[in-house]
Amino acid sequence: MKVHNTSVNLIFMLALSAIIFLCWFNLRCNAAATLRNETDMRALVEFKSYITEDYFATLDSWNSSSHFCHWPGVKCGLKHQRVTHLDLKGKRLAGSISPHIGNLSFLKSLDLSDNSFRGEIPQGVSHLFRLQNLNMSYNFLGGEMPRNLSQCSKLVTLALDHNSLVGQIPSELGSLSELTKLHLGSNNLSGSFPASFGNLTYLQELGLSYNQLKGELPDSVSANEKFDID
């Protein structure tokens, strides 16, 4: 009887230990998820703080009255509740783009086109290594194109046309091997066409007109009949 009681007590203690461990592990996971969600929320709040005009009051509801995944223009993934899409196209927003945009590490699509953003493209955009679509066209962005945009290695679409960007086109863009659409027209870009563009074998659309570019496109690009060159 004593041996039986000892076995029962041992099984009970092991089961209790397992339950305690699972509860502790679950709390740790929930705490980590909450912290990650806080990171996204703070990045969005910081983004809002850089906005000086909001004609349609789009961002008025970006507050604690609702979860940030339900804020206008924001879309989150179902599994982790992290921001995957930020679409504020044509919302008549003015201001500059917050450097904290780079903290939205699950972002796949960022569309800020057709607004009145000024200043430079934040270097933090290069931290968005999941980014597939980046559209900042039709704004008033200036400065040089960040060379480290090449770190967004999954980019399929890059549209920065109709801004006031200056300097040369970074040769590093040639490493964006999945790029199918590249629009840089109607800026103040200068210099020659990067030879690295010849590496963009999936490119279907290339817009470079209305800049101060000189020279000729690499033969591998100009001879490609698969896409439109503007």
Side-chain angles (χ1 to χ4, degrees):
M1 182 64 70
K2 184 176 181 180
V3 173
H4 175 72
N5 289 339
T6 301
S7 299
V8 171
N9 289 337
L10 180 59
I11 293 173
F12 173 77
M13 292 301 297
L14 289 173
L16 182 61
S17 298
I19 292 172
I20 292 173
F21 173 78
L22 289 174
C23 290
W24 172 83
F25 182 76
N26 189 49
L27 287 173
R28 285 288 300 271
C29 289
N30 288 338
T34 300
L35 181 61
R36 290 193 295 268
N37 288 347
E38 282 286 323
T39 299
D40 281 8
M41 185 188 71
R42 289 176 182 175
L44 292 172
V45 171
E46 285 291 335
F47 177 89
K48 179 181 177 180
S49 71
Y50 280 73
I51 302 300
T52 56
E53 292 183 29
D54 182 4
Y55 183 83
F56 296 121
T58 302
L59 307 187
D60 279 5
S61 58
W62 280 29
N63 55 54
S64 57
S65 64
S66 62
H67 193 278
F68 64 83
C69 287
H70 302 299
W71 292 353
V74 178
K75 180 180 177 181
C76 293
L78 296 176
K79 184 178 180 180
H80 299 292
Q81 292 291 288
R82 303 295 301 275
V83 178
T84 58
H85 295 71
L86 182 57
D87 184 358
L88 295 171
K89 177 182 179 180
K91 298 300 183 182
R92 296 182 66 173
L93 300 172
S96 56
I97 301 174
S98 166
H100 299 278
I101 196 77
N103 292 335
L104 297 173
S105 57
F106 275 67
L107 205 60
K108 294 181 179 179
S109 179
L110 175 60
D111 193 342
L112 302 178
S113 62
D114 196 16
N115 284 291
S116 297
F117 286 105
R118 299 179 182 274
E120 299 186 355
I121 299 173
Q123 296 287 333
V125 172
S126 65
H127 299 157
L128 304 174
F129 63 92
R130 291 182 172 88
L131 200 62
Q132 299 173 7
N133 171 59
L134 176 59
N135 192 342
M136 295 183 176
S137 60
Y138 291 92
N139 280 286
F140 299 98
L141 296 169
E144 297 186 351
M145 291 179 58
R147 292 185 175 277
N148 55 12
L149 276 179
S150 60
Q151 296 178 22
C152 302
S153 59
K154 294 186 178 181
L155 271 178
V156 175
T157 301
L158 175 58
L160 303 175
D161 54 288
H162 293 86
N163 279 289
S164 300
L165 300 174
V166 299
Q168 298 186 359
I169 300 175
S171 61
E172 289 84 353
L173 293 185
S175 66
L176 296 174
S177 58
E178 297 185 27
L179 207 60
T180 62
K181 299 178 182 180
L182 176 60
H183 294 281
L184 303 175
S186 298
N187 280 287
N188 295 310
L189 299 170
S190 58
S192 57
F193 302 103
S196 61
F197 274 14
N199 300 327
L200 302 177
T201 54
Y202 289 104
L203 203 61
Q204 298 174 6
E205 296 179 13
L206 177 62
L208 298 172
S209 59
Y210 299 103
N211 281 292
Q212 310 301 319
L213 299 168
K214 59 183 180 181
E216 297 182 355
L217 285 168
D219 291 341
S220 57
V221 175
S222 58
N224 192 335
E225 298 179 355
K226 295 180 180 179
F227 64 88
D228 298 324
I229 300 178
D230 181 11

